[in-house]
Amino acid sequence: MNWSNLSLSSKILKLVDDAGYKKPTPVQVQSIPLVVAGLDILVCSQTGSGKTASFVLPILERFKDKNGTYILALSPTREIALQTGAVFETFATPLGMKTVVCIGGVSISEEKKALSSSPHIIVATPGRLCDHLERGNVWLDFIQCIVFDEADRMLEMGFATQIEKIAEQLPKERQTLMYSATFAPKVEKLAKSLMNNPREVMIQNTKSTIPQIEQRLLWMDEGKKVSALFSLVRQELGTIIVFAKSKERVYQIWRHLQGRKIDSTYIHSDLTQEQRESTVTDFKNGKFRILIATDVMGRGIDVDNIAHVVNYDVPYEAEDYIHRIGRTARLGKTGIATTFAIPIKDEFAICAIEKILGVESPKSQQEKKEKEEPKKHDHQRKKSQNVRRDHPRR
Ligand code: AMP
């Protein structure tokens, strides 16, 4: 499939060419014609699949010759909002269209000023947009197209009330696009309440994304994690993101790496917006090879060529696992995801992850493997010095 088959005009095709996008990705192939036709779509797709351009391009196609604030995109985090805003700007600025991004952590009066300049596109986090609505800085009566990006994440982060408030102010006649990495029942419920007979686009259900990511599960006691990380960092020469369960934990890991003179950087919610942005830029530009992150912060990181994702702590929510490992193997590339899990303590969470991945539980795989290949397994155990290593899951 080529770009020219997707109902896009030559103006937009030229911008796509300038961006260097040679071929459309599967989510773009399926979503773009539906959006250009003005339909509502519910898309199951992950970050890294080219999903942002899959809504930005057809939306601009629809609204490029219109003047007014017709487009609103909601993102779960500041980082994702900034990235979405940047993609809109890349393609909208040459069309003479203006984008405003509204997020927490920056001056609200600056944003108010920007909103009053009648932008064509507003990209916002739900909390910040509600702040502006309450202050009367913005009205949503004119919105003709709304995007709920990473809807599952917005709900997990507790934005249901804000979404409801925003939806109340939107005109009934509109186009609604909803993107989510997973179709949890709560996402379907939200879609039902906000959308008009949406077409479903199932691009990457979680199973189909897995083959590109080699997933490894290492069972170990808490006390073994630091040395397991050191050896992983020695063996893996590419870029690494280490996910941890809290900001205290992020510091702890960073200090351990510093102690070994292993350069790394970190990102979590206590940093100012400016600090977060410069951390991500440093990581993107290769100043640091290792980034340690909490879930909320790490999720918004859009960096190509991440070789390895390390789940230093098993995530609380099984969906977070999918989002974390989705940092690697972007756009058809390959990558590795290694999870450090504590026997007994993490077994329940690992089973939940296995369930959404649709694979056998690691425990039953382990038992089966031991029955089939007892000798080989014993050898592997010795070799990994008490770190019990289950075979990679695919
Ligand atoms: P996303 O899934 O929106 O986070 O996009 C992931 C990355 O893919 C971004 O850096 C985009 O600029 C890039 N991208 C999106 N569509 C294409 C395409 N068709 N060809 C090459 N790169 C793309």
Side-chain angles (χ1 to χ4, degrees):
M1 182 62 89
N2 289 319
W3 282 108
S4 52
N5 307 119
L6 300 182
S7 321
L8 295 171
S9 63
S10 54
K11 240 186 197 175
I12 301 282
L13 289 176
K14 157 108 183 36
L15 299 175
V16 169
D17 194 44
D18 291 347
Y21 293 177
K22 299 263 177 307
K23 278 208 165 283
T25 64
V27 68
Q28 293 164 353
V29 169
Q30 293 209 32
S31 308
I32 291 174
L34 298 173
V35 180
V36 174
L39 298 169
D40 283 7
I41 56 168
L42 178 57
V43 186
C44 187
S45 176
Q46 296 178 8
T47 325
S49 59
K51 72 174 166 67
T52 315
S54 86
F55 59 81
V56 167
L57 296 170
I59 288 177
L60 295 179
E61 180 64 56
R62 281 198 71 203
F63 294 96
K64 65 182 182 319
D65 299 320
K66 298 182 178 167
N67 235 337
T69 309
Y70 294 140
I71 305 160
L72 171 64
L74 290 182
S75 309
T77 67
R78 297 169 188 183
E79 281 69 26
I80 298 171
L82 286 170
Q83 279 161 26
T84 304
V87 178
F88 264 115
E89 260 174 28
T90 302
F91 295 104
T93 311
L95 298 168
M97 296 169 81
K98 194 173 167 194
T99 309
V100 165
V101 179
C102 298
I103 52 176
V106 296
S107 148
I108 198 150
S109 56
E110 289 285 319
E111 284 184 357
K112 179 183 173 189
K113 214 165 115 199
L115 284 169
S116 65
S117 69
S118 306
H120 296 82
I121 303 140
I122 301 173
V123 180
T125 51
R128 187 59 156 212
L129 184 62
C130 282
D131 272 359
H132 283 295
L133 286 169
E134 275 158 25
R135 291 164 191 243
N137 297 346
V138 66
W139 294 269
L140 303 180
D141 323 37
F142 295 105
I143 298 295
Q144 292 188 12
C145 180
I146 173 146
V147 185
F148 293 92
D149 192 15
E150 307 213 2
D152 52 344
R153 188 65 179 177
M154 285 201 262
L155 293 175
E156 276 162 28
M157 290 174 70
F159 283 134
T161 318
Q162 283 87 346
I163 290 175
E164 211 174 295
K165 267 191 199 154
I166 293 165
E168 273 168 17
Q169 310 229 6
L170 292 167
K172 291 249 168 327
E173 283 290 310
R174 61 168 196 259
Q175 182 179 32
T176 308
L177 317 180
M178 191 175 289
Y179 284 72
S180 186
T182 54
F183 270 2
K186 55 193 173 188
V187 175
E188 292 196 8
K189 198 170 150 219
L190 181 73
K192 242 188 207 145
S193 71
L194 296 177
M195 304 180 84
N196 177 20
N197 192 20
R199 307 291 160 100
E200 287 191 10
V201 178
M202 296 286 294
I203 294 299
Q204 293 179 322
N205 61 29
T206 50
K207 284 179 206 170
S208 69
T209 62
I210 297 313
Q212 302 148 22
I213 306 173
E214 182 185 330
Q215 295 172 80
R216 298 174 181 173
L217 177 64
L218 306 182
W219 291 102
M220 67 184 76
D221 294 335
E222 177 62 44
K224 293 268 191 306
K225 286 188 177 181
V226 178
S227 57
L229 183 65
F230 289 154
S231 72
L232 188 148
V233 163
R234 268 198 309 273
Q235 283 162 24
E236 174 59 70
L237 302 177
T239 327
I240 303 172
I241 295 192
V242 181
F243 279 101
K245 65 185 172 194
S246 64
K247 48 194 176 221
E248 291 74 25
R249 191 75 159 169
V250 166
Y251 274 131
Q252 196 188 11
I253 298 167
W254 178 75
R255 278 197 304 267
H256 282 306
L257 291 172
Q258 288 296 103
R260 284 283 181 107
K261 305 230 176 327
I262 301 168
D263 247 1
S264 63
T265 186
Y266 57 82
I267 187 165
H268 57 63
S269 55
D270 272 1
L271 302 184
T272 62
Q273 188 58 33
E274 216 173 293
Q275 287 169 324
R276 291 182 203 179
E277 281 170 37
S278 82
T279 302
V280 173
T281 308
D282 286 347
F283 184 57
K284 262 189 182 168
N285 296 341
K287 189 169 169 196
F288 294 98
R289 186 172 71 88
I290 304 167
L291 174 71
I292 312 157
T294 51
D295 278 301
V296 171
M297 292 300 116
R299 191 183 159 113
I301 291 161
D302 174 24
V303 180
D304 293 338
N305 300 322
I306 288 174
H308 212 128
V309 169
V310 180
N311 293 311
Y312 194 88
D313 297 308
V314 174
Y316 294 120
E317 299 284 342
E319 275 87 4
D320 282 335
Y321 177 83
I322 303 293
H323 291 298
R324 287 180 180 189
I325 68 169
R327 302 301 94 207
T328 183
R330 292 164 73 76
L331 285 170
K333 293 183 187 126
T334 56
I336 302 174
T338 299
T339 302
F340 296 172
I342 302 172
I344 303 172
K345 179 174 170 272
D346 288 331
E347 267 169 32
F348 185 75
I350 292 294
C351 283
I353 291 167
E354 299 279 0
K355 208 167 156 199
I356 62 166
L357 291 173
V359 293
E360 248 180 305
S361 88
K363 220 176 153 194
S364 58
Q365 284 186 12
Q366 174 80 17
E367 280 159 7
K368 212 165 148 191
K369 201 176 172 190
E370 277 177 3
K371 265 188 213 149
E372 283 165 9
E373 307 175 73
K375 280 187 187 147
K376 190 174 159 211
H377 211 86
D378 278 355
H379 168 72
Q380 272 182 349
R381 268 192 203 166
K382 267 183 218 140
K383 208 170 133 195
S384 57
Q385 293 169 337
N386 296 335
V387 175
R388 203 170 98 205
R389 175 172 166 173
D390 287 347
H391 49 279
R393 290 169 291 142
R394 282 190 172 248

